[in-house]
Amino acid sequence: MTAAIECLHAHKSFREPADGEDRANHRGRGLASLRVLDLVAPRKVRVDAVKDVSFQVKKGEIFGILGPNGSGKSTLIRLIATLLTPDSGTVTVFGQDVVCDRLAVRRCINRVSVEAAFFKRLSALENLEYAARLYGLDAREGKRRAEDILERLGFLHKKMTVPLENLSRGMQQKVAIARALMTAPVALLLDEPTTGLDPVSKREVQDFVLEVRETHDTTVILTTHDMQEAERLCDRIAVIHGGEFVALDTPQNLKARFADGDGRVPTLEAVFFRLTGSNVDDWMREQGE
Amino acid sequence: MFDKIKSSYALVQRNFNMVRRDIGWELVFIVYEVVNVLTIGFIGVNGPKETMNERVLYLVAGALLWGFLSALFHEVAESVAWERWEGTIEYSFMAPQPRGVYMFGVCMWGILYGFVRTAICLAAVTLMFRISLAGANLWAALLTLAASSLAFIGMGLAAAVLPLISPEKGSPATHIFQALVLLVSGVYYDVSVLPAWVRPFSHVSPATYTLRAARAALLEGAGLRALAPDLVMLLVLGVVLIPFGFAVFSAGERYAMRTGKLKRNG
């Protein structure tokens, strides 16, 4: 059976300004390595964001990607979302290549990003009407679907005409979810969709993701920092660290892998710390950043 | 085809909603533009009374045409910078539509927006100076405006690539480009007054042909036959610049997707 989403040896790197250590190493090589250009433009180094990542997601599966900040989660999502082209390797969505069949892939997917990407002076309805038309839906049908989803997510009807800049982040995120689901995508990319939501809203969104999978057999890739959420929603979880997958299994198997001699299984959070070489202090510091 | 046009309309409707929400700022911009055109018109009031109408019309036509063309250019060239600023660039650009559909919507909005602003300025100018348009060929002037829109859309498409490939410096660069077109195109003076080394640039600016043809239509009542050389030149520039601008934009988008620049600011 063809995988719904498949990454084969995907690699992506970016040129980024050199940090202090790189610059110091560069200076250490003496005057010969100085460039006139360094005086006006910062030296850049190539940084691998995603390194030789391979995985398959089955149709109707909820596939989680966990990783510290800057580990490559969002880059991976953006590769699948056709917003980035891989340096090497292939990424396909329902058999369509994200580089060669970009439009076909875009017809299958939608995405919710961690930032609420809206015209914030426009209302939820105005934003959704724009999205419906741009994505080729009948505006009235799009509006009806979006209203249904928003009501299901506990979004008050009277708030639909209020500019989004006057709504809480949680409300904005619910609109983002409604916008993504309005187009009935067969593959949904959720990049930290519940970050910043209160516990009730978080639970509502999680329930809705499960419901969408049950009713529409939607394939979901979910990145999150919330271990409980990952454990509740995901059929399988990949842990990414430094651009590489360091583990990929069901939540139960991941925990079982690190069971102690007495057969006691650790929490998913403890597994995460072990796999990423972090401890709680590092983790808290990263989240603070 | 009809479906694509309907999708393009998303951009027109979205921008109209934005203008409606920011109506206070729009009023400020329109008042500023009206005052600017009137100020330029008053320069023509000085001098012999019998030729005042011509002088005022010459200057005002320049200000109005430039207002329209620069609004159109600005809307197209800044479309990417605006999406980036709002944080919507990724969502808009991953829509399952060919990029031409998106850009067509942006251009349609640019033409409508520029036209409405120019019409408001024209009404204010007509009231203030009581300009006589008795001998003017208004249809020919409108046709000139339509022909020049194509070339300016092409230039706007090419300029829109700057904010795409350079998130921080791209937007200011489009303003420099716009200012250079203003300098060489004879908006408020005849291009013959330009230094000899600058003059050749006026030949490649579509605004030069637009202004010359529109002034001939408004001041001398010139017909299509007399305007044909300038109109043909504008159409040729449009036919060349639109595919060129689109090709440049598409190449810029591929570069942005390769280098990770197709994303919001911050």
Side-chain angles (χ1 to χ4, degrees):
Chain A
M1 192 186 80
T2 315
I5 297 171
E6 184 174 50
C7 271
L8 280 178
H9 306 291
H11 192 100
K12 187 72 202 169
S13 61
F14 300 110
R15 279 166 58 77
E16 289 179 359
D19 60 19
E21 196 178 323
D22 285 324
R23 282 199 295 273
N25 289 339
H26 183 68
R27 277 198 296 274
R29 292 202 294 273
L31 275 176
S33 64
L34 269 179
R35 300 180 310 160
V36 176
L37 205 59
D38 287 347
L39 299 172
V40 289
R43 181 169 284 272
K44 292 192 171 177
V45 291
R46 193 156 277 285
V47 176
D48 291 325
V50 169
K51 286 192 263 187
D52 195 30
V53 166
S54 296
F55 65 96
Q56 288 190 334
V57 183
K58 294 191 285 282
K59 188 169 187 293
E61 184 178 14
I62 300 182
F63 185 86
I65 303 175
L66 303 181
N69 289 338
S71 58
K73 301 185 297 295
S74 294
T75 301
L76 203 48
I77 291 280
R78 292 171 76 228
L79 282 169
I80 301 165
T82 73
L83 293 165
L84 282 174
T85 46
D87 296 338
S88 60
T90 56
V91 181
T92 58
V93 178
F94 289 95
Q96 313 278 355
D97 187 272
V98 295
V99 179
C100 306
D101 313 304
R102 201 176 299 147
L103 274 182
V105 171
R106 288 174 180 171
R107 279 186 209 106
C108 300
I109 60 169
N110 216 315
R111 170 179 177 236
V112 177
S113 62
V114 62
E115 316 95 359
F118 288 110
F119 290 89
K120 295 199 180 58
R121 281 163 294 157
L122 299 186
S123 69
L125 278 185
E126 285 166 340
N127 271 290
L128 293 168
E129 203 171 1
Y130 163 65
R133 283 192 195 279
L134 189 64
Y135 276 64
L137 292 180
D138 175 67
R140 216 172 299 164
E141 171 62 12
K143 186 181 162 191
R144 193 192 57 75
R145 282 193 208 172
E147 280 179 345
D148 286 350
I149 298 166
L150 283 172
E151 276 172 27
R152 172 73 184 75
L153 289 172
F155 190 97
L156 296 174
H157 198 272
K158 65 180 181 187
K159 298 278 185 190
M160 287 182 191
T161 51
V162 174
L164 282 172
E165 64 188 357
N166 297 335
L167 299 182
S168 67
R169 185 179 142 63
M171 294 271 221
Q172 290 181 13
Q173 202 62 357
K174 285 179 182 178
V175 179
I177 289 163
R179 182 176 64 178
L181 292 169
M182 178 177 71
T183 59
V186 286
L188 189 58
L189 309 173
L190 302 175
D191 193 3
E192 299 179 37
T194 57
T195 299
L197 298 193
D198 63 69
V200 175
S201 299
K202 195 178 268 198
R203 180 53 77 129
E204 284 169 346
V205 169
Q206 290 171 1
D207 289 344
F208 194 62
V209 170
L210 289 171
E211 185 185 310
V212 166
R213 191 262 293 271
E214 289 305 315
T215 53
H216 293 86
D217 206 16
T218 305
T219 307
V220 180
I221 294 191
L222 169 81
T223 75
T224 182
H225 288 301
D226 184 331
M227 302 296 152
Q228 284 180 334
E229 177 172 283
E231 204 162 354
R232 178 167 183 236
L233 297 183
C234 300
D235 300 309
R236 286 187 302 152
I237 291 173
V239 179
I240 188 169
H241 186 49
E244 291 174 290
F245 274 9
V246 291
L248 197 173
D249 216 326
T250 61
Q252 295 73 22
N253 287 350
L254 279 177
K255 289 192 289 185
R257 199 189 291 183
F258 292 94
D260 63 17
D262 300 331
R264 280 191 301 242
V265 289
T267 61
L268 190 61
E269 193 171 64
V271 171
F272 176 82
F273 291 142
R274 293 276 294 275
L275 285 167
T276 57
S278 326
N279 56 42
V280 179
D281 291 339
D282 293 340
W283 172 252
M284 295 301 281
R285 206 175 306 122
E286 272 184 7
Q287 298 315 300
E289 284 165 11
Chain B
M1 182 68 180
F2 183 64
D3 285 346
K4 299 289 174 210
I5 293 172
K6 267 171 70 179
S7 293
S8 290
Y9 178 67
L11 279 299
V12 176
Q13 190 187 40
R14 180 199 76 187
N15 289 1
F16 174 73
N17 285 333
M18 296 284 277
V19 166
R20 213 161 41 89
R21 291 275 179 192
D22 290 333
I23 196 69
W25 275 111
E26 285 302 322
L27 282 174
V28 170
F29 294 143
I30 286 173
V31 167
Y32 183 86
E33 197 172 331
V34 166
V35 171
N36 187 42
V37 174
L38 292 178
T39 310
I40 290 161
F42 276 117
I43 297 170
V45 174
N46 275 324
K49 199 152 188 164
E50 56 275 17
T51 54
M52 190 190 84
N53 192 59
E54 266 180 40
R55 281 196 311 278
V56 170
L57 199 51
Y58 182 93
L59 287 167
V60 159
L64 288 172
L65 285 168
W66 181 249
F68 172 77
L69 296 175
S70 59
L72 173 58
F73 175 82
H74 187 264
E75 288 296 316
V76 178
E78 290 285 292
S79 54
V80 170
W82 198 19
E83 292 262 15
R84 210 190 274 286
W85 172 255
E86 295 278 357
T88 51
I89 187 164
E90 292 187 342
Y91 189 79
S92 292
F93 274 45
M94 64 178 273
Q97 301 289 352
R99 190 59 61 236
V101 169
Y102 177 89
M103 296 316 287
F104 182 73
V106 168
C107 295
M108 286 304 101
W109 167 255
I111 290 174
L112 275 172
Y113 182 69
F115 190 79
V116 170
R117 278 177 65 149
T118 307
I120 292 169
C121 288
L122 179 64
V125 162
T126 311
L127 283 172
M128 178 63 84
F129 295 112
R130 302 193 184 284
I131 295 169
S132 166
L133 293 170
N137 187 342
L138 289 174
W139 287 113
L142 275 176
L143 195 68
T144 306
L145 211 57
S148 66
S149 296
L150 298 177
F152 266 76
I153 284 171
M155 281 177 20
L157 287 173
V161 81
L162 296 170
L164 195 60
I165 61 174
S166 178
E168 280 131 29
K169 297 169 196 147
S171 189
T174 62
H175 290 276
I176 294 171
F177 182 71
Q178 196 176 347
L180 290 174
V181 175
L182 172 67
L183 177 75
V184 303
S185 306
V187 175
Y188 304 118
Y189 41 77
D190 193 89
V191 290
S192 61
V193 304
L194 291 168
W197 67 272
V198 179
R199 233 170 291 154
F201 294 106
S202 70
H203 299 307
V204 291
S205 165
T208 307
Y209 304 100
T210 309
L211 289 155
R212 193 163 61 199
R215 278 178 175 140
L218 291 171
L219 292 165
E220 299 152 24
L224 290 184
R225 192 184 294 268
L227 301 180
D230 283 336
L231 290 180
V232 167
M233 195 60 199
L234 282 172
L235 289 175
V236 168
L237 282 171
V239 166
V240 171
L241 283 172
I242 286 183
F244 170 77
F246 195 71
V248 169
F249 188 86
S250 300
E253 188 178 349
R254 284 195 297 276
Y255 169 81
M257 287 167 66
R258 207 173 58 242
T259 54
K261 288 181 174 163
L262 193 64
K263 62 178 182 184
R264 60 188 280 144
N265 275 347

